Amino acid sequence: MSEMIERYRKIIEESGQKFTKQKQLILETILEVNRHISANEIFNLVKNKNIGLATVYRALNSFTELGILKRIKIDNTSYYELKIYSGKVLHVHFICKYCKNILDINDKNLILEYIKLNNLVENNFDVEVQDADIMLVGVCSSCSNKK
Amino acid sequence: MSEMIERYRKIIEESGQKFTKQKQLILETILEVNRHISANEIFNLVKNKNIGLATVYRALNSFTELGILKRIKIDNTSYYELKIYSGKVLHVHFICKYCKNILDINDKNLILEYIKLNNLVENNFDVEVQDADIMLVGVCSSCSNKK
DNA sequence: CTTGATGCAAAGGATTTGCACAAAT
DNA sequence: ATTTGTGCAAATCCTTTGCATCAAG
C-alpha cells in the first residue's frame, strides 16, 4: 500500500470508521486519475470490481467530511479532488464557459494573495474563514482563439 | 412599474424575449425579498397567482443568461440574487458551516483587491476572467460564541 | 396571425436511503 | 459477537422537457 493510502487509512480509522477494500479502491482510483472526478466516473472505473454506486457516494461523502477530499460543483454534478497531502493550501479554479474545462490556479503568489484577503475578511466581518472555494468563470485561450 | 423593472424589461425585450406578467412578477418578488432566494421559495410566493414551477425555472434560467441574476449553489439547490444595477461588481459570499447563513462580503476595498487578483490570473494563465464566484466557508461569530 | 410563453404532468439526473446480507474488529 | 459497511433497488430532491393551450406583438 502506498504511503498516501496509509495516511488516508489512518485518518479514516481514527474517525472510527472501517477502512474497507471498497474505500481503498476508491481512494486509489482518485489518486490515479489525479484530476477532478465525479462519483459516476469513479463508479465506472470500479464497477467491474463489484462496488455499488451508493458505496461510492457514501465513501465520497465520508472522505469529504474527513477533509480528505474537496468537493466542487459544476452544473448539477459534484466533482472531487484530493485535498490534504496534495500540497495545496487553497483551491482556486477557473472554468471556461464554452469548453467547461477546469484549470487549477496554482501559482504560489496568487494563492498567497488570496489567503491575505481571506484574513482581511476575517478581521472586517468577525468570522473565521476555514476554507475558500474560488471559481473564476470566463474564456480560456483556446476557446478565445476559435472565435 | 418601478424604474428597476423597466430596466430589466428593456434587457429582456432587447434579447428578443417577451416581457410577460409572469416574468415581471418573478422579478418583483426577487426585488422585494432582497436576498438569496431559491426557485422553490419564489414559487411558493407566487403560486397563488397561477404561475407554474416550470415557468419560474425557465424565467430564472433566462434571467441568469441575460446577466440579470446571479446563481449560487448551496448543497444541491440554486439560489438567485440580482446582479446588475444592484451596485455590486463581484460576488463574494461567506457561508457558516453550522447555521448555513450566508453573508454578503461587500466591503469595497476587499472587492477591489479581489478584482486585482483576478487580473493577475488573467495575465498569468492567459484566460479572460468574466466573473468570479467566491465562497468563503467557516464559522460566523454567532455560532462561534455558542461553542 | 404567428411565434414564443405558459401550466401541467411526466421525465431526467444526481444523490440518498431502507433493508437484508456481508465483512471488519 | 457486535457493529459498521455494502449492494441493490426504490425513493427523493431539484430541474428540465413535451405538449396542448394561451397570450404578446
Side-chain angles (χ1 to χ4, degrees):
Chain A
M1 200 184 310
S2 87
E3 195 199 336
M4 279 297 211
I5 298 287
E6 258 316 321
R7 291 204 256 196
Y8 296 137
R9 173 192 204 128
K10 209 167 205 167
I11 295 168
I12 291 165
E13 290 182 339
E14 276 172 4
S15 80
Q17 293 176 49
K18 287 169 184 168
F19 186 75
T20 59
K21 289 179 183 65
Q22 288 87 339
K23 285 176 187 165
Q24 177 171 350
L25 195 53
I26 291 167
L27 280 173
E28 284 170 349
T29 304
I30 300 171
L31 263 172
E32 263 171 44
V33 299
N34 193 35
R35 59 174 176 83
H36 309 94
I37 186 167
S38 68
N40 207 52
E41 288 176 284
I42 295 172
F43 176 63
N44 283 326
L45 291 171
V46 301
K47 66 181 168 195
N48 55 323
K49 282 152 188 137
N50 209 41
I51 295 186
L53 180 57
T55 301
V56 173
Y57 274 105
R58 280 186 282 235
L60 292 176
N61 282 339
S62 161
F63 298 164
T64 304
E65 269 179 37
L66 292 174
I68 294 173
L69 295 182
K70 169 91 184 159
R71 175 191 282 131
I72 64 174
K73 300 227 173 181
I74 295 154
D75 293 332
N76 280 313
T77 312
S78 292
Y79 292 79
Y80 299 84
E81 61 179 8
L82 289 167
K83 187 177 178 187
I84 51 180
Y85 305 133
S86 69
K88 290 184 202 166
V89 199
L90 179 70
H91 296 254
V92 183
H93 295 109
F94 170 90
I95 184 166
C96 174
K97 62 196 274 198
Y98 297 116
C99 64
K100 301 271 178 177
N101 273 342
I102 301 166
L103 232 61
D104 252 27
I105 304 298
N106 260 325
D107 184 283
K108 208 175 195 171
N109 292 323
L110 285 174
I111 302 285
L112 286 176
E113 285 299 320
Y114 272 119
I115 290 176
K116 277 189 206 159
L117 289 183
N118 287 345
N119 293 338
L120 278 176
V121 171
E122 291 198 327
N123 296 334
N124 293 6
F125 290 83
D126 190 23
V127 296
E128 179 192 344
V129 176
Q130 298 176 334
D131 200 0
D133 291 314
I134 299 179
M135 178 63 84
L136 305 174
V137 185
V139 186
C140 71
S141 57
S142 156
C143 285
S144 173
N145 291 334
K146 280 181 200 146
K147 309 260 138 192
Chain B
M1 203 183 308
S2 86
E3 196 199 336
M4 279 297 211
I5 298 287
E6 257 318 319
R7 293 203 255 196
Y8 297 138
R9 170 191 206 131
K10 209 166 204 166
I11 295 168
I12 291 165
E13 290 182 340
E14 276 171 4
S15 81
Q17 294 175 50
K18 286 168 186 168
F19 185 76
T20 59
K21 288 179 185 63
Q22 288 88 340
K23 285 178 186 163
Q24 176 171 349
L25 194 54
I26 292 167
L27 280 173
E28 285 170 347
T29 304
I30 301 171
L31 262 173
E32 263 171 45
V33 300
N34 195 33
R35 60 174 175 83
H36 309 93
I37 186 168
S38 68
N40 207 52
E41 288 176 284
I42 294 172
F43 176 64
N44 283 326
L45 291 171
V46 301
K47 67 182 168 195
N48 55 324
K49 283 155 188 136
N50 209 41
I51 295 186
L53 180 57
T55 301
V56 174
Y57 273 105
R58 281 186 281 235
L60 293 176
N61 283 339
S62 161
F63 297 163
T64 304
E65 268 179 37
L66 292 175
I68 294 173
L69 295 182
K70 168 91 184 158
R71 175 192 281 129
I72 64 174
K73 301 225 174 181
I74 295 155
D75 294 329
N76 281 313
T77 311
S78 291
Y79 291 79
Y80 300 84
E81 60 177 9
L82 289 167
K83 187 177 178 188
I84 50 180
Y85 305 132
S86 69
K88 291 186 203 167
V89 198
L90 179 71
H91 296 254
V92 183
H93 296 108
F94 171 89
I95 184 168
C96 174
K97 62 198 274 198
Y98 297 116
C99 64
K100 299 272 181 177
N101 273 341
I102 300 166
L103 231 62
D104 252 29
I105 304 298
N106 260 325
D107 184 284
K108 207 173 194 172
N109 292 322
L110 285 174
I111 303 286
L112 287 175
E113 285 300 320
Y114 272 119
I115 290 175
K116 276 189 207 159
L117 288 184
N118 286 347
N119 293 337
L120 278 175
V121 170
E122 289 198 328
N123 297 333
N124 293 8
F125 290 82
D126 190 22
V127 296
E128 179 193 344
V129 176
Q130 299 177 334
D131 200 359
D133 291 314
I134 300 179
M135 178 65 82
L136 306 174
V137 185
V139 186
C140 72
S141 57
S142 155
C143 285
S144 173
N145 291 334
K146 281 181 198 145
K147 309 259 140 193

